[in-house]
Amino acid sequence: MDAAIRNGHGMTKLDDLQFVAPDTAEVEIAFRNVTKRFGNLVAVDNLSLDIHRGQMVALLGKTGCGKSTMFNMISGLMAPSEGEVEVMGQQPFRNFNWYRGKMAIVFQTDRLLPWRTAVKNVEIGLETLGIAPAERRDRAMHWLETLGLKGHENDYPHALSGGMRQRVSISRAFATDAELLLCDEPFSALDEITSKRLRTEFARLVRENGKTAVFITHSIDEAFDIGDRIVVLKRPAEIAHDLRMSDSVSSEDREHIRRTIHASLAA
Amino acid sequence: MTDVTPSRRPYDNPAFGVARRLFWVAAPFVLIATAWQIASAFFPDFLFPSLIHVFARVFDILTTWSLFSSVLATAMRILGGLAGAFVLGAVLGLAIFSFKTADRLLTPTLTFFQGIPALSWVVFAIIWFHGVEFRILFIMVATTLPAFTFQIVGALRSMDKDLSEMVMSFRPSRRKYFSAMVLPAVLPEVVTAWKVNLGNASRVVVVAELVGSSGGVGFQLLQQQQLFDMAGALAWTLQLVFFVLLFQWVLSQFERMAFRYRAVSERG
């Protein structure tokens, strides 16, 4: 199982690459023979995938490969046409409200409410959980400070830069202390330097806080920076490769994996 | 050695800027007043009374309770009618936004109502109801309801889908979703709707009072018309204009306070 790149049709030993230990933690997200159709268009085709608690998984694929559809099914915004999607043992579309406080989303754009200050934006998830105002403020301030926004808590979104706004949205997701973080290309709208710095920070926070994170991206570099597991998707959302990355993978091996992924995506 | 310090020109002074703005605010009114005053010198008093005479009547209305109570009655009727139409419009607007059947039934009905002239509603109210106040309230609500409803539906439909999805991702209760998302999102358009309908309502209330009331600015205007008293007619009209301007100012102050989060372009 180690040292292998698994593709949608079975296990293929490619090289002497080193990977992290096999998954032993509880399954957090399970796709079981999931198909999603929009009319005649098949967006996801008979997909089976387990994501385990504590994993940071990058779902990598070209535009239109069905990764956003997968994302919407995990978040409960969309139901599968066939098969089953289970998140924490429940079906997200059917039991939408069960996930209150258990799941938080970082979107592609910051989606800050313009009529709320930074700190009030961070508090929104806590308000839905019915947390007392003083505790809400403390938790929101803690995350804003953690993400380097001390002194900007009373600023309205229009007064913040793109990077600062995305930091507020990350604070908003972390503040609810949700077990599962879903991220839909959250840094793609930022410049390369800010994006790189934020994703490193984000990965560190996810690991330090023991969260499970699913990170959608079309950037191979981003997937490498973030994911301790990279699931490469081909059209229509079939698994092309399922890679477990570890720090011990040498830079040459990483380069080889990068080329392999690139070839898969280009095919 | 030449002094290179630029000399301060008069229009660099901030006080000059304020004075210039005030001048341009006052200029159109001064122009109208001057034209009127000139006309009053050439025409008889019952056509173009002197402005001094008109302002004396305005002062008289403001300082005589029996007269000023008519102004207050009209103001209350306008606000009551607008409040009634707004509450009903909000309920209908939410129903149209939320349910397709409500949309199919109510949208054509309200569009049809919008085509009925205000004067027709006055006639219907006189035929259908006895109480003066209820008649006026009915007319006010009937004439402003379609606009309020459509403006609220428009505001709900133009709500930012991305922001709405973000709030929904936290699985809020209906109440929380309404207070955190819907209300702040639609508030700017609701305030605009009030501003627009205020002008319409002030015109309709005068017609309603003119035909079916024994008090208020509309009734007083009818009295002035019977007496051929142009100064009185103008003075009562100005009372209504003052009220509309005053309420528009209150709404503007509310806007400034409630929407301070909006970015302001330095170019204005």
Side-chain angles (χ1 to χ4, degrees), chain A residues 84-95:
Chain A
E84 238 174 40
V85 177
E86 271 193 7
V87 179
M88 301 175 206
Q90 303 277 329
Q91 293 184 15
F93 187 78
R94 280 193 193 163
N95 307 311

Side-chain angles (χ1 to χ4, degrees), chain A residues 29-45:
Chain A
I29 301 170
F31 279 76
R32 300 206 180 92
N33 306 106
V34 172
T35 298
K36 178 68 186 178
R37 292 191 197 88
F38 298 101
N40 291 329
L41 177 79
V42 180
V44 177
D45 190 16

